Amino acid sequence: MSSEVTMASDFPAKISGRTQYVDDLHLPGELYGGIVRSPHPYAKITRVDIREAQQVAGVKAVITGDNVPHHAYGPTVYKDWNILACEKVLFVGDEVVAIAADSRDALRQALDKVVVEYEALEPILNPHAALQPGAAVLHEAVPDNRPVKIEFERGDVDKAFAQAYIVRSGRYTTNRIYHGHLEPIAVIANWDEQDGLTLWAGSHIPYRARETYAAAFGLPEEKVRINVPPIGGSFGAKYVLKVHVIAAALSMRAGAPVRIALDRYEDMLTAHPRVPLEIDIRIAADKDGHFLGKDVVVYGDAGARIYWSPNVLASACTRADSLYQFHNVRAKGNLCYTNNSPTTCMRGFGNAEMLFAVENVIDEIAEGLGMDPAQLRLQNIVHKGDTTIGGYHLDSCELEACIRQVITLSGWARRRDFKKYHGLGMAIGNHVSGYRGIDPRFDGSTAVARLLASGRVEIETGEIDLGQGMSGTYAHIAARVLGIDPSFITVQSGDTGRYPFGIGTLASRSTVMGGNAVKQACERLRNELANWVKQHYGPTAVLTGGGVEVGQEQHALAEVARDFISCHGGDAFSVKETYTPATELPDRTLYGNPSPSYPFAAHVAEVEVDPDTFRVKVIGYWAVHDAGMVLNRPAATGQVVGGVAQGIGWVTMEDFKVSQGQVQNRSLLDYRMPGSSDVPPVTVEFLETEDPNGPFGAKSVGEMAIDPVPGAISNAIAHALGVRGHDLPLAPERLWRIMQEQPQV
Amino acid sequence: MQEQHIILNLNGEEKMWVGDPTTPLADVIREHFQLTGTKVGCRTGECGACTIILDGAPMNSCILPVAMAENSVIQTIEGLADDRRFQWLVTAMAEEGGAQCGFCTPGIMMTLWASSQASHGGQHPDYHAILKNNLCRCTGYQSILAAAKRVLGREVNAIEQ
Amino acid sequence: MAWYQPQELTEALDMMATREPVIVCGGTDVFVNWLRRKQQFQGRDWLDIHRIQSVREIRRVEDGLLIGAAVNAAEIWQSPICNAIPSLQEAARVVGGWQIQNRASIAGNVANASPAADMMVPLFALGARVVLQSVQGERRIRIEDFVLGPKQTSILKHELITHIHIPETGLFAPQTFLRLDQRGGTDISLVSVAVVAKVDRQASHVNIVVGAASPKPFSVPMAEEMVHKDAASDVMKRVAALYAAHAAPITDVRASADYRRAMVGVLVERGLGKVLLAPQTTTG
Ligand SMILES: Cc1cc2nc3c(=O)[nH]c(=O)nc-3n(C[C@H](O)[C@H](O)[C@H](O)COP(=O)(O)OP(=O)(O)OC[C@H]3O[C@@H](n4cnc5c(N)ncnc54)[C@H](O)[C@@H]3O)c2cc1C
Ligand code: FES
Ligand code: FES
């Protein structure tokens, strides 16, 4: 193996099974918590009877909507959450009664003994139904069931289309995708009059969770503390969750710690999947294949409450405008309440969804013009130095080089000679490295760097490691600044009571935001320490990686640390720095420069389609990324391969089948995620150049990894079949049906 | 529910457990014996996170009632810590980046280790068949396969010859 | 309720006669999602037969092969004796994954009588008989008479399956098992087919059995008769079409009836092609 491997220090523990996730932890006297949920997508609660449940031996608390606080709260600006339902239930899985008991058996018995009677109401099952005149109003604050409406036009789109030589259009739909985190959602909550509420919960935005949960109970924020044990996968599933709030409410009632651990069945039944989008898109070009305009209308299904669907819709409406030079763009976005389980972001955040549509339409334009789709892309993409039509400042951009490189790696020229059922497809993408709109109040990051008595350096951050390699990256950054080996660095995070504030890990922000903060803190630590050693050991003292040199004399770092500590009342030398990016909050039309840097990528997929069963096999995949300078290569490569695998699942097999608001395929057998043989060898390359705003020139990778995948695979399938699928997933049966509908030759 | 006394041979030690004989072995080893290296991801035999080794063969402990494991030799990941081949696998997985969130990893390690005990006739085993019952959502499997190839493939044969 | 793990068959049969226990072989069907399902089994006794040596063996007998009820899928595909019935080995190789195969028993697959059960399908095509025992004695019954429909069999109250018998005719005959699934991880058949060619002196005859596309595996004798040794591809197409027409698939979360029906045709044609066009297996 190459020596550049930054071994994340948690690897051996994870691999040997010593890492403890939430459900591996136990508090003395803890109770099992569980939830009675609505079986109806929309209904009036006519009776709740918990008396029999309360009689079950071992039951310590039973709560209903009548005995929890009712503050307006929610994780975003839309305060539409409750703790338990009172009058109406809004989706299958909506929480009605919660119980804590001292054993699993007692809990299950008690849950079965709760009586809830409903009067079923006509559910709203899609955004169009939500907008029908006379549709039931699901939240009074939003009388038209449309919490988010986006509308903007930049340039003159109608004029552009009027002048077009070619226009291609279509309605594309993206589906409900389950995050598929291998660790089901779990939480332990403990209420204490003195200390307040403490949660052990997998949340990668724990400070927002803290703020939200404090609001739910009308508590000051300092009365809520969130400990984040290692998280067993999230991809957007583990942000801020009702289950956490309910465990807290149960603990308050029972006076004991309460654990709620969902099993896979409940995790799937109540999952908050990817926001399904319906996208009407058209793109215009002149006869030489220069884009003239893009026009999209998007409908998104938020489900019954707001999680991160507004941001998903916003990315869908805007991000691609900073990938290609469309010159004139218009978007209309509508996010609607329905009686489906609330939907939320998942890796790709709306951008991957829109790129599925955009990249297919671009291939159609290429077909229409008789052009190579790669060439068409090359002549319309953005470049370094551009300020895009959406307002992004591209301080670095190797997109063109990425496309050229993926052409070479994949043997793109083979494409012309493929027989039917064999396809090669390309797609490209862009993303952000942090997004200003996520929290308008602050979008930076804070880090503490501390020289411990042992000579080791401890970094504290408010960002969260999800297994994406964040700790390894931070260790690398700190080591590089301080001139010491990464194995001397410990990265700490995941406790809102101990570590500095952080926005958390979303919008691909950890490398750039947190990384810059770590870099600043370490620089200050180094500079201040260099000054102090001169005061302490004399003006000739120099700080080196391993310690201090004064002439011939050497002082090891541990010794320096101890000397410093004894001169400072026993405190370790510690500095705290905040990085605030020079980004702009997008305006009402979502115009602005919301991120310090933008990564890019070009992907090519090769598929074989079975001519009879239409099962698609992805047989080759090439991904070339501009992620700036790559600080943690194994982690970055792992992110890309993992993203590609998720994209393969999304396009070829995964789909939450929902009927009357209820997920039908609630098991990992019937919701199919890729197994090892479904993923071909993936070739990953990084074209490294420095981005001026990243720590040591780095940009993000995590979400960029999946953005082009749906486009690349679906374009490959279209190339193989000569027919284009518009609705994800392009699973065998759907392709079979499309081909059945083709006129037979 | 009638309780039953069950004697388990767990990681080389005789252990007594008293309770409902249909309790999934996964819960017994995780909750009673506090061996939390075995993870539970589905309770339906699909994800492989709960893989343990029973009489040398990998199995899903979530759908294995504890009573069935009586009179068998049970190995959990904790019991392999000192095994030489297990350590090679740990090193290979760490170097290849075979774990991200790590939740699937112990189960995958158990499956790979079991495979390293089997004879593959000097051939590379069919890694996809071996891992068919283990899901990983993070890695895309490439790094796991690379680690497996290093340890289970030619290297093992070479080392043993 | 109690868990019994007898070592002797007679003990097990006595228990069957007196207690009506739930039989467990591998438990891979019974214990799925156990915490949610255990209420249904309240108060039941358990008879775990996987330690009874006589039901764990695979034996060559005078009139064929005898596979013990508790023999699991991994043992089947690894067993040299079972090389005589590759179609069953192929089915055993796709049941779940390695971990499942280490437990999933042949009797459990048959007794569970799921329409999508894989090992059951080649057993139909091989003309297997289910060997049942109770304190009253033994009876052998053709598998197509044993399996009545989804989750329904003709097992009597005090009986248990001790063996599956494969008659001589199927051994070393050209045969195959194919299934359509949708991913490389563990999956359930959308449609499966087993084809076993019987080659004897007078004529050649082919058994074609389709699984997962009807309440139980089915064959279409009229279509089977159309097949002969040098059947041309258009004959195979007609046979496949007949099978598709006779299928009675359902629509569920895995696939629609339409797609399943079409795939019956595809798999039958492929299965036939594989068996008839492949070089004949030698007897051994
Ligand atoms: C993740 C997963 C994937 C799977 N994939 C497949 C697949 O691809 N293909 C497939 O066919 N199956 C599959 N299965 C189902 C299952 O593994 C098989 O049906 C298996 O063969 C069942 O055998 P068992 O011994 O485990 O059954 P058990 O659970 O022990 O028993 C099943 C039923 O049969 C009865 N029974 C068992 N033995 C006897 C006997 N001797 N006499 C009378 N009745 C008896 C039991 O009482 C019970 O009702 C899968 C299961 C899981 C969990
Ligand atoms: S928890 Fe046992 S296989 Fe998933
Ligand atoms: S590393 Fe997260 S599921 Fe495998």
Side-chain angles (χ1 to χ4, degrees):
Chain A
M1 272 310 291
S2 64
S3 57
E4 59 171 314
V5 174
T6 314
M7 239 217 245
S9 55
D10 59 353
F11 263 173
K14 273 183 180 165
I15 296 168
S16 314
R18 295 194 306 274
T19 298
Q20 298 206 304
Y21 302 82
V22 179
D23 202 30
D24 300 333
L25 306 174
H26 294 278
L27 295 187
E30 70 182 12
L31 305 173
Y32 293 89
I35 299 166
V36 177
R37 299 170 179 278
S38 166
H40 299 281
Y42 190 34
K44 208 186 254 161
I45 301 172
T46 55
R47 188 165 85 95
V48 179
D49 187 342
I50 57 172
R51 282 168 303 180
E52 267 197 66
Q54 284 169 318
Q55 300 310 314
V56 173
V59 166
K60 304 293 180 191
V62 183
I63 55 173
T64 69
D66 289 338
N67 34 46
V68 292
H70 288 277
H71 298 286
Y73 80 105
T76 65
V77 294
Y78 306 89
K79 306 297 180 196
D80 59 4
W81 285 28
N82 57 11
I83 299 178
L84 290 168
C86 269
E87 287 153 24
K88 281 181 185 173
V89 285
L90 299 182
F91 63 98
V92 174
D94 208 355
E95 303 92 343
V96 184
V97 176
I99 299 178
D102 63 9
S103 75
R104 276 210 186 98
D105 282 333
L107 173 65
R108 182 129 298 280
Q109 269 182 45
L111 290 170
D112 289 344
K113 292 224 153 77
V114 170
V115 180
V116 185
E117 285 169 12
Y118 301 92
E119 183 188 315
L121 301 169
E122 184 62 29
I124 296 173
L125 297 174
N126 63 62
H128 296 293
L131 297 176
Q132 285 297 310
V137 175
L138 298 187
H139 295 277
E140 271 163 30
V142 184
D144 65 350
N145 288 331
R146 178 163 40 190
V148 181
K149 192 172 173 187
I150 292 170
E151 224 172 325
F152 65 79
E153 178 164 359
R154 314 192 210 285
D156 188 338
V157 170
D158 289 332
K159 195 169 139 208
F161 277 83
Q163 291 168 350
Y165 171 78
I166 182 169
V167 174
R168 287 292 180 266
S169 62
R171 170 167 294 178
Y172 288 82
T173 62
T174 64
N175 55 335
R176 268 170 235 275
I177 292 292
Y178 179 50
H179 296 84
H181 39 283
L182 254 261
E183 176 207 23
I185 283 162
V187 57
I188 305 172
N190 188 32
W191 167 255
D192 178 290
E193 288 296 338
Q194 278 287 305
D195 299 341
L197 182 62
T198 307
L199 293 167
W200 287 260
S203 167
H204 43 116
I205 55 169
Y207 295 86
R208 182 68 70 88
R210 177 179 71 177
E211 183 183 352
T212 308
Y213 305 160
F217 294 105
L219 292 169
E221 261 185 57
E222 64 270 20
K223 280 282 187 195
V224 179
R225 176 172 179 179
I226 299 186
N227 281 295
V228 186
I231 297 177
S234 167
F235 317 107
K238 295 171 183 167
Y239 274 29
V240 179
L241 290 166
K242 280 283 295 286
V243 171
H244 300 170
V245 182
I246 292 168
L250 277 173
S251 177
M252 289 174 173
R253 174 52 72 109
V258 173
R259 154 199 310 279
I260 300 183
L262 303 188
D263 64 3
R264 184 60 60 181
Y265 179 95
E266 194 172 0
D267 196 288
M268 296 186 87
L269 183 73
T270 64
H272 305 307
R274 215 180 252 286
V275 184
L277 299 179
E278 175 192 291
I279 300 167
D280 281 316
I281 179 169
R282 41 184 203 137
I283 296 175
D286 69 14
K287 71 177 191 323
D288 302 320
H290 295 105
F291 295 161
L292 301 174
K294 163 174 158 274
D295 191 11
V296 295
V297 179
V298 186
Y299 286 87
D301 181 348
R305 284 186 234 290
I306 298 291
Y307 284 64
W308 266 264
S309 50
N311 308 69
V312 169
L313 186 77
S315 321
C317 287
T318 55
R319 185 91 18 99
D321 299 349
S322 295
L323 177 65
Y324 290 105
Q325 299 181 329
F326 288 114
H327 301 291
N328 301 282
V329 295
R330 178 162 65 199
K332 288 190 181 137
N334 306 277
L335 183 71
C336 301
Y337 281 129
T338 68
N339 294 114
N340 290 311
S341 181
T343 59
T344 194
C345 56
M346 180 172 171
R347 197 178 199 177
F349 232 113
N351 186 29
E353 286 85 340
M354 179 55 81
L355 285 177
F356 162 63
V358 167
E359 292 296 282
N360 271 280
V361 174
I362 288 177
D363 263 31
E364 281 194 308
I365 293 176
E367 279 159 31
L369 293 172
M371 264 178 90
D372 176 359
Q375 187 52 41
L376 180 62
R377 287 182 172 83
L378 279 170
Q379 78 189 34
N380 287 287
I381 52 173
V382 294
H383 292 95
K384 178 177 171 176
D386 289 357
T387 293
T388 67
I389 196 167
Y392 294 13
H393 302 314
L394 307 183
D395 295 327
S396 69
C397 173
E398 294 299 319
L399 181 55
E400 180 176 337
C402 288
I403 297 177
R404 295 197 188 283
Q405 181 65 0
V406 85
I407 287 175
T408 310
L409 285 179
S410 65
W412 180 249
R414 293 180 296 144
R415 191 171 187 272
R416 285 185 305 253
D417 309 322
F418 278 12
K419 301 221 161 57
K420 198 170 178 189
Y421 303 114
H422 186 187
L424 205 57
M426 176 183 287
I428 62 173
N430 60 337
H431 214 86
V432 290
S433 310
Y435 184 75
R436 188 75 179 89
I438 292 287
D439 194 330
R441 297 165 297 187
F442 173 66
D443 187 38
S445 184
T446 301
V448 170
R450 179 178 300 119
L451 179 61
L452 302 174
S454 62
R456 293 182 63 83
V457 173
E458 183 175 68
I459 303 292
E460 292 177 357
T461 169
E463 317 304 335
I464 300 291
D465 197 329
L466 283 167
Q468 82 279 39
M470 182 192 90
S471 303
T473 304
Y474 291 179
H476 174 97
I477 291 170
R480 203 154 144 185
V481 173
L482 299 170
I484 59 180
D485 192 84
S487 63
F488 285 93
I489 314 275
T490 311
V491 178
Q492 306 276 15
S493 73
D495 180 349
T496 63
R498 275 178 75 182
Y499 303 129
F501 177 85
I503 299 292
T505 303
L506 77 168
S508 296
R509 53 193 307 294
S510 74
T511 299
V512 173
M513 299 295 186
N516 271 324
V518 169
K519 182 161 174 273
Q520 283 180 15
C522 290
E523 282 164 355
R524 196 171 133 205
L525 183 81
R526 183 196 60 204
N527 296 344
E528 291 187 6
L529 196 60
N531 288 338
W532 180 80
V533 299
K534 286 199 195 317
Q535 287 165 28
H536 189 76
Y537 300 103
T540 57
V542 220
L543 185 67
T544 66
V548 171
E549 284 174 21
V550 195
Q552 299 293 60
E553 219 175 286
Q554 298 270 355
H555 301 273
L557 207 50
E559 187 193 335
V560 178
R562 282 194 302 273
D563 287 348
F564 181 92
I565 289 170
S566 20
C567 298
H568 288 81
D571 269 347
F573 182 36
S574 173
V575 300
K576 184 174 190 170
E577 277 289 305
T578 296
Y579 166 70
T580 310
T583 50
E584 300 162 8
L585 187 65
D587 68 12
R588 295 177 63 87
T589 74
L590 299 173
Y591 182 91
N593 183 39
S595 175
S597 68
Y598 303 93
F600 295 89
H603 287 194
V604 168
E606 181 170 355
V607 303
E608 261 170 21
V609 185
D610 183 304
D612 302 311
T613 66
F614 294 94
R615 189 170 153 172
V616 173
K617 185 123 189 79
V618 181
I619 58 171
Y621 206 96
W622 299 267
V624 181
H625 281 242
D626 163 16
M629 299 304 286
V630 177
L631 303 183
N632 186 346
R633 187 170 291 268
T637 307
Q639 285 292 296
V640 175
V641 179
V644 170
Q646 286 177 359
I648 289 173
W650 185 2
V651 180
T652 67
M653 57 184 90
E654 291 180 37
D655 195 20
F656 254 153
K657 301 237 162 68
V658 177
S659 161
Q660 288 297 304
Q662 174 157 338
V663 174
Q664 303 297 308
N665 45 345
R666 301 176 285 260
S667 78
L668 297 181
L669 257 191
D670 286 330
Y671 183 91
R672 290 178 210 87
M673 302 195 285
S676 73
S677 65
D678 295 308
V679 185
V682 179
T683 303
V684 181
E685 262 196 37
F686 294 97
L687 299 183
E688 291 184 90
T689 56
E690 273 190 42
D691 182 272
N693 306 313
F696 298 112
K699 303 195 276 192
S700 76
V701 187
E703 291 184 276
M704 185 66 260
I706 200 172
D707 287 327
V709 187
I713 298 177
S714 55
N715 276 336
I717 294 172
H719 181 226
L721 294 181
V723 183
R724 201 164 286 279
H726 291 71
D727 308 298
L728 291 178
L730 301 176
E733 179 166 351
R734 178 157 291 142
L735 294 176
W736 172 78
R737 218 167 271 289
I738 290 171
M739 296 306 279
Q740 294 294 303
E741 284 157 10
Q742 293 306 302
Q744 298 293 318
V745 271
Chain B
M1 190 61 67
Q2 192 181 315
E3 297 198 331
Q4 215 159 312
H5 290 244
I6 289 171
I7 294 168
L8 298 172
N9 180 338
L10 184 57
N11 295 330
E13 283 175 48
E14 293 257 300
K15 301 268 187 185
M16 167 88 109
W17 183 82
V18 184
D20 176 350
T22 65
T23 307
L25 180 63
D27 293 338
V28 173
I29 57 188
R30 283 174 48 75
E31 287 166 18
H32 186 78
F33 296 113
Q34 291 168 22
L35 298 172
T36 55
T38 301
K39 306 298 180 192
V40 172
C42 69
R43 295 191 174 276
T44 50
E46 292 151 3
C47 75
C50 66
T51 302
I52 51 95
I53 295 175
L54 201 78
D55 296 330
M59 290 180 192
N60 306 305
S61 61
C62 67
I63 54 171
L64 186 70
V66 58
M68 281 190 97
E70 196 167 23
N71 302 315
S72 285
V73 175
I74 308 166
Q75 284 168 296
T76 70
I77 191 161
E78 289 84 356
L80 299 186
D82 297 329
D83 180 85
R84 195 170 54 122
R85 230 175 264 185
F86 183 79
Q87 282 309 327
W88 291 339
L89 268 169
V90 171
T91 308
M93 283 281 278
E95 289 179 357
E96 297 288 350
Q100 286 185 25
C101 81
F103 199 79
C104 70
T105 317
I108 285 179
M109 290 295 285
M110 295 305 278
T111 307
L112 292 179
W113 185 81
S115 169
S116 79
Q117 301 302 99
S119 121
H120 302 287
Q123 304 280 309
H124 267 292
D126 178 349
Y127 299 105
H128 294 311
I130 288 168
L131 287 172
K132 190 177 165 207
N133 212 164
N134 288 92
L135 288 176
C136 174
R137 189 56 152 173
C138 299
T139 63
Y141 305 98
Q142 193 153 302
S143 49
I144 296 168
L145 292 172
K149 279 179 195 161
R150 276 174 59 185
V151 177
L152 306 187
R154 303 215 175 77
E155 282 198 12
V156 165
N157 297 326
I159 290 164
E160 292 191 334
Q161 272 153 21
Chain C
M1 65 131 264
W3 188 279
Y4 298 102
Q5 198 179 71
Q7 312 248 336
E8 297 299 330
L9 186 58
T10 49
E11 248 181 282
L13 296 179
D14 285 344
M15 225 161 267
M16 290 300 296
T18 52
R19 290 179 177 268
E20 272 188 66
V22 182
I23 307 170
V24 182
C25 254
T28 62
D29 276 318
V30 177
F31 292 97
V32 167
N33 229 346
W34 184 240
L35 300 187
R36 285 189 180 268
R37 292 174 57 244
K38 79 193 246 196
Q39 298 291 71
Q40 300 167 23
F41 291 83
Q42 233 181 8
R44 298 290 301 271
D45 287 318
W46 297 90
L47 177 60
D48 169 0
I49 63 169
H50 92 282
R51 296 218 188 265
I52 301 173
Q53 194 50 38
S54 64
V55 302
R56 297 214 49 136
E57 294 166 354
I58 306 174
R59 269 187 298 144
R60 185 75 164 91
V61 288
E62 224 168 82
D63 56 347
L65 260 184
L66 212 50
I67 304 177
V71 169
N72 64 45
E75 288 162 348
I76 289 172
W77 61 258
Q78 286 165 351
S79 151
I81 304 180
C82 287
N83 290 347
I85 40 172
S87 59
L88 183 66
Q89 286 185 315
E90 285 161 34
R93 198 77 167 104
V94 296
V95 169
W98 191 18
Q99 288 93 313
I100 295 288
Q101 287 158 20
N102 283 326
R103 290 211 81 80
S105 71
I106 190 154
N109 203 258
V110 172
N112 200 45
S114 153
D118 287 311
M119 290 191 282
M120 212 162 75
V121 180
L123 291 180
F124 269 66
L126 290 163
R129 281 172 173 67
V130 179
V131 183
L132 296 151
Q133 277 199 45
S134 70
V135 283
Q136 266 92 47
E138 183 189 297
R139 67 181 179 122
R140 292 187 176 209
I141 166 172
R142 287 165 21 158
I143 191 166
E144 56 262 52
D145 300 327
F146 180 77
V147 178
L148 301 175
K151 308 261 160 196
Q152 286 181 310
T153 65
S154 58
I155 196 164
L156 300 175
K157 205 164 151 197
H158 301 305
E159 282 180 332
L160 62 80
I161 304 175
T162 57
H163 295 90
I164 303 290
H165 174 255
I166 316 278
E168 192 70 40
T169 45
L171 310 190
F172 299 104
Q175 55 192 283
T176 193
F177 170 81
L178 298 174
R179 84 169 193 181
L180 177 64
D181 51 24
Q182 298 188 63
R183 70 161 170 194
T186 55
D187 204 351
I188 296 292
S189 290
L190 291 185
V191 175
S192 61
V193 65
V195 179
V196 178
K198 284 189 209 155
V199 195
D200 55 33
R201 243 165 276 132
Q202 281 89 28
S204 56
H205 178 74
V206 174
N207 286 350
I208 308 165
V209 177
V210 168
S214 284
K216 66 183 227 186
F218 76 99
S219 53
V220 184
M222 177 180 65
E224 286 174 333
E225 280 161 23
M226 290 163 58
V227 185
H228 46 86
K229 237 171 52 201
D230 337 279
S233 71
D234 63 313
V235 176
M236 294 192 216
K237 277 204 161 49
R238 292 215 310 276
V239 171
L242 274 170
Y243 267 84
H246 277 81
I250 55 162
T251 295
D252 63 10
V253 290
R254 294 179 190 138
S256 74
D258 289 357
Y259 180 65
R260 280 204 167 96
R261 186 185 297 285
M263 293 307 115
V264 168
V266 170
L267 261 70
V268 167
E269 194 181 336
R270 286 188 182 177
L272 271 176
K274 232 181 124 185
V275 168
L276 297 184
L277 306 178
Q280 301 287 299
T281 332
T282 50
T283 37

